């Protein structure tokens, strides 16, 4: 590597590191996972409420990585930040390596990451996005490198990266399917099939474990967020509004994704086109499911892929065009209501923002109480009311509580309290009930009614639900989540539950009890 190129890379890398340190924060949802991590490390198993087995996290790989660090630190705030920043910097460093030449135009493409509110916000936060970014960068490095070869060994590495990404968050597999399909068809043989199976073996083994241990193939959060009772047109409208919100609060992110992927389809080679197709497939999925309530969270992986693809598209642009493009990126990035380079102090970033469509600027809520630059001596981190509520519950010896926001409260309340989550993210029964007023709720945050007798059931570890149909259904849930793991009866109930043989019980209950 030329000395000049190394100096440029080093300055860019340090700039990203400083930007991440200035904007680093931990989300409340991260502490949902951290409660499982804390239980796991302290011998309670992969549980959230220690009396039942429920997968309360969407990202098994991220949870396991956090657990490995937490085993030594026994602390959540700095541990999650350290892992987030390490993965984010590794992904950025690999992106730098994939720039074939440093021109003003390629620098303009790279600088999109600096100005993207979504990308910077979720390069920390403690959620799984940084690991997704790193795995996407590794996959593209393998897929697009010049000495590509047509070996089964390379296909195996592509498969294992895609499999790890699915283990990190299952829906991100959509990014990888078109490229894997292309490489598979180029090399199709029984050996290629074997490489595919071996590459995905960590994900396959996790799914087997999940069905055996938890009783279900998907995280409980998936059932809570997708079982809404909303029609497809309602979900599509929510997804559309999520895209529209990003254009309002973070205009550079979707603009660059759409521009870069379109150019990749038009000018790129087949492998670049399949990478762009993965972005389109994933974005369509986001639209299809009604997206999320955290503004921009689902766009960060797509943006990184688009930036890496842009390196090849922009490298031969003349200097004059590069100057125009860089100026455009800076101007568009600074039109955000809270630009990444300036939105860190008390005056500009102190109030939580929620759009009229119930989509949140999540960092604006938690940056001051859980931002790294606001850390102070002798102050608990995060410094937030819900943290103090959890600490008080632990001190009072509370055994059962009903909560709407369970991350901070659950972690700091400790393992001895059972928390009923009205949003159902960690509750195996409520996740399968139709939400209250889902039409007007935050996307992905759907409140449930507490069935009569459910609180008493939890408190006394008995089935005291009043409605007969729901009581029978809850009895099956208890067999799965609380019964002996290796019971023949339990495996029969798991089969019947996952094949919908008890769904009529829920319909009977909701026909009588739901407003």
């Amino acid at each position: 590597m030329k000395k000049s190129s190394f100096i440029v890379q080093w300055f860019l890398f340090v700039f990203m590191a400083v930007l991440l340190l200035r904007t680093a924060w931990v989300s409340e949802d991260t502490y949902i996972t951290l409660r499982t991590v804390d239980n796991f490390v302290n011998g309670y198993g992969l549980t959230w409420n220690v009396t039942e087995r429920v997968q309360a996290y969407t990202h098994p790989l991220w949870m396991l990585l956090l657990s490995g660090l937490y085993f030594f630190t026994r602390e959540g705030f700095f541990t999650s930040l350290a892992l987030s920043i390490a993965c984010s910097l590794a992904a950025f460093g690999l992106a730098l390596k994939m720039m074939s030449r440093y021109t003003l135009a390629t620098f303009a493409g790279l600088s999109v990451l600096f100005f993207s509110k979504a990308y910077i916000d979720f390069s920390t936060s403690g959620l799984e996005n940084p690991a997704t970014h790193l795995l996407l960068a590794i996959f593209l490095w393998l897929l697009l490198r010049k000495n590509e070869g047509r070996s089964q060994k390379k296909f195996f590495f592509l498969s294992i990266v895609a499999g790890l990404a699915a283990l990190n968050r299952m829906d991100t597999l959509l990014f990888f399917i078109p490229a894997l399909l292309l490489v598979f068809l180029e090399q199709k043989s029984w050996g290629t099939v074997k490489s595919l199976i071996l590459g995905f073996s960590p994900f396959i083994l996790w799914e087997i474990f999940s069905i055996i241990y938890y009783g279900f193939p998907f995280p409980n959060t998936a059932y809570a967020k997708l079982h809404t009772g909303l029609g497809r047109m309602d979900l599509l409208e929510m997804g559309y509004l999520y895209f529209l919100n990003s254009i309002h609060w973070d205009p550079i992110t979707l603009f660059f994704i759409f521009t870069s992927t379109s150019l990749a389809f038009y000018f790129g080679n087949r492998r670049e086109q399949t990478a762009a197709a993965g972005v389109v497939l994933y974005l369509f999925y986001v639209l299809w499911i009604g997206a999320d309530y955290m503004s921009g969270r689902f766009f960060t992986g797509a943006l990184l892929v688009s930036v890496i693809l842009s390196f090849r598209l922009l490298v031969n642009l003349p200097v004059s065009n590069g100057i125009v493009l860089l100026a455009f990126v800076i101007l568009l990035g600074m039109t955000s209501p809270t630009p990444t380079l300036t939105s860190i102090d008390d005056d500009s970033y102190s109030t939580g923002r929620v759009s009229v469509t119930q989509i949140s600027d999540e960092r604006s809520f938690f940056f001051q109480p859980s931002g790294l630059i606001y850390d102070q001596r002798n102050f608990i981190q995060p410094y937030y009311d819900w943290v103090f509520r959890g600490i008080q519950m632990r001190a009072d010896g509370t055994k059962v509580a009903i909560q709407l926001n369970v991350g901070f409260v659950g972690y700091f309340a400790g393992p001895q309290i059972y928390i009923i989550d009205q949003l159902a993210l960690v509750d195996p029964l409520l996740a399968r009930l139709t939400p209250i007023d889902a039409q007007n709720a935050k996307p992905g945050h759907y409140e449930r009614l507490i069935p009569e007798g459910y609180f008493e059931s939890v408190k006394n570890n008995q089935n005291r639900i009043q409605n007969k149909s729901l009581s029978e259904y809850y009895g099956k849930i208890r067999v799965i989540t609380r019964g002996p793991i290796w019971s023949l009866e339990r495996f029969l109930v798991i089969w019947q539950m996952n094949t919908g043989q008890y769904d009529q019980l829920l319909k009977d209950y909701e026909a009588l009890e739901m407003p």
Side-chain angles (χ1 to χ4, degrees):
M1 181 189 297
K2 292 182 179 179
K3 182 179 179 180
S4 58
S5 295
F6 177 81
I7 291 173
V8 170
Q9 286 187 355
W10 181 245
F11 269 96
L12 291 172
F13 185 84
V14 172
F15 183 83
M16 175 59 87
V18 171
L19 184 57
L20 292 182
L21 289 172
R22 294 178 78 221
T23 57
W25 67 293
V26 179
S27 76
E28 197 260 349
D29 275 26
T30 296
Y31 279 80
I32 297 178
T33 300
L34 284 172
R35 191 182 201 219
T36 295
V37 167
D38 185 69
N39 287 345
F40 183 38
V41 169
N42 287 292
Y44 294 105
L46 288 170
T47 60
W48 200 83
N49 287 312
V50 296
T51 56
E52 62 187 7
R53 299 176 296 271
V54 177
Q55 186 180 337
Y57 48 90
T58 59
H59 37 238
L61 178 61
W62 187 249
M63 181 276 300
L64 292 171
L65 292 172
L66 280 173
S67 297
L69 290 178
Y70 193 90
F71 179 81
F72 297 101
T73 65
R74 306 296 170 125
E75 181 279 334
F77 179 75
F78 294 105
T79 301
S80 57
L81 281 178
L83 183 59
S84 294
I85 292 171
C87 288
S88 292
L89 288 178
F92 184 74
L94 191 53
L96 286 174
K97 290 291 185 184
M98 282 186 272
M99 294 175 70
S100 58
R101 281 197 296 120
Y102 292 90
T103 66
L104 273 176
T106 56
F107 174 72
L110 184 71
S111 66
V112 169
L113 296 180
F114 300 143
F115 287 97
S116 167
K117 174 175 169 53
Y119 192 83
I120 295 301
D121 280 4
F122 293 101
S123 287
T124 54
S125 87
L127 298 171
E128 78 287 338
N129 295 59
T132 296
H133 300 162
L134 179 56
L135 290 165
L136 280 169
I138 295 171
F139 186 87
L140 290 173
W141 178 70
L142 290 169
L143 180 71
L144 302 177
R145 58 193 303 189
K146 290 181 180 179
N147 54 337
E148 54 183 79
R150 293 200 171 195
S151 67
Q152 291 177 8
K153 183 178 180 181
K154 177 172 181 177
F155 184 69
F156 167 73
F157 286 127
L158 288 170
S159 298
I160 199 167
V161 172
L164 289 173
L167 182 60
N168 188 55
R169 186 179 173 98
M170 197 179 298
D171 53 17
T172 60
L173 182 59
L174 296 170
F175 280 117
F176 304 91
I177 288 175
L180 284 177
L181 182 61
L182 173 67
V183 180
F184 178 82
L185 291 176
E186 289 176 348
Q187 306 178 16
K188 53 186 177 181
S189 67
W190 285 112
T192 311
V193 173
K194 182 180 177 181
S195 295
L196 182 67
I197 294 172
L198 287 174
F200 274 83
S201 57
F203 175 69
I204 294 169
L205 290 172
W206 175 265
E207 283 300 291
I208 294 170
F209 167 80
S210 181
I211 293 171
I212 292 172
Y213 186 76
Y214 291 118
F216 300 96
F218 305 112
N220 194 74
T221 49
Y223 299 99
K225 293 185 177 185
L226 299 180
H227 184 83
T228 63
L230 295 172
R232 182 56 56 194
M233 291 307 298
D234 291 323
L235 293 171
L236 287 172
E237 182 182 18
M238 291 166 66
Y240 151 75
L241 292 173
Y242 186 77
F243 280 71
L244 201 62
N245 169 268
S246 179
I247 292 172
H248 179 200
W249 283 352
D250 184 24
I252 198 170
T253 295
L254 280 179
F255 176 88
F256 197 81
I257 290 172
F258 291 147
T259 303
S260 181
T261 52
S262 299
L263 292 174
F265 279 123
Y266 190 77
F267 293 108
N269 60 36
R270 288 195 302 172
R271 299 207 168 188
E272 292 163 349
Q273 289 168 348
T274 58
V279 169
V280 173
L281 190 61
Y282 183 79
L283 292 182
F284 179 76
Y285 163 80
V286 172
L287 179 69
W288 185 258
I289 65 169
D292 187 45
Y293 76 97
M294 295 188 191
S295 180
R297 180 187 174 189
F298 283 0
F299 296 144
T300 62
L303 181 67
L304 180 63
V305 174
S306 301
V307 166
I308 292 173
L309 289 176
S310 76
F311 295 159
R312 294 167 174 246
L313 299 170
L314 302 176
V315 68
N316 293 318
L317 286 182
V319 173
S320 58
N321 289 352
I323 293 173
V324 172
L325 184 59
L326 180 59
F328 177 79
V329 167
I330 295 172
L331 287 173
L332 189 59
M334 295 303 291
T335 61
S336 168
T338 53
T340 57
L341 300 184
T342 61
S343 57
I344 61 167
D345 58 39
D346 291 341
D347 295 329
S348 66
Y349 215 64
S350 59
T351 305
R353 294 189 303 159
V354 181
S355 72
V356 293
T357 56
Q358 297 297 302
I359 297 168
S360 300
D361 178 353
E362 200 71 356
R363 184 165 73 93
S364 72
F365 278 92
F366 298 109
F367 186 52
Q368 287 196 35
S370 71
L372 182 61
I373 62 173
Y374 288 100
D375 184 32
Q376 300 180 54
R377 292 179 59 188
N378 303 318
F379 274 64
I380 191 169
Q381 288 287 0
Y383 195 82
Y384 202 75
D385 289 346
W386 297 340
V387 171
F388 305 135
R389 186 183 306 171
I391 293 171
Q392 189 62 51
M393 285 179 176
R394 183 192 287 241
D396 292 343
T398 305
K399 296 302 181 185
V400 181
I402 299 174
Q403 289 291 137
L404 264 177
N405 302 96
V406 300
F408 290 158
V409 172
Y411 176 81
F412 286 96
Q416 301 310 318
I417 183 174
Y418 188 107
I419 295 179
I420 299 173
D421 175 17
Q422 284 189 274
L423 298 179
L425 300 175
V426 303
D427 193 292
L429 175 65
L430 300 184
R432 288 157 178 83
L433 301 183
T434 301
I436 308 167
D437 194 21
Q439 192 83 39
N440 298 309
K442 280 186 177 182
H445 262 40
Y446 304 108
E447 185 178 349
R448 269 71 170 185
L449 283 174
I450 305 298
E452 188 175 353
Y454 188 45
F455 184 90
E456 292 76 17
S457 298
V458 171
K459 184 177 180 180
N460 297 285
N461 196 19
Q462 297 176 350
N463 187 349
R464 296 190 179 183
I465 291 180
Q466 299 300 302
N467 181 277
K468 290 184 179 179
S469 296
L470 190 63
S471 177
E472 182 179 349
Y473 189 87
Y474 179 52
K476 303 302 182 183
I477 290 284
R478 287 176 62 89
V479 169
I480 294 173
T481 61
R482 296 172 182 251
I485 292 178
W486 299 105
S487 160
L488 182 61
E489 176 198 9
R490 179 173 178 270
F491 284 116
L492 179 60
V493 173
I494 288 172
W495 168 258
Q496 293 169 333
M497 181 68 72
N498 282 285
T499 54
Q501 297 181 45
Y502 301 126
D503 289 356
Q504 188 59 45
L505 294 171
L506 287 179
K507 294 176 182 177
D508 293 343
Y509 162 73
E510 294 187 345
L512 290 174
E513 303 290 342
M514 294 296 290

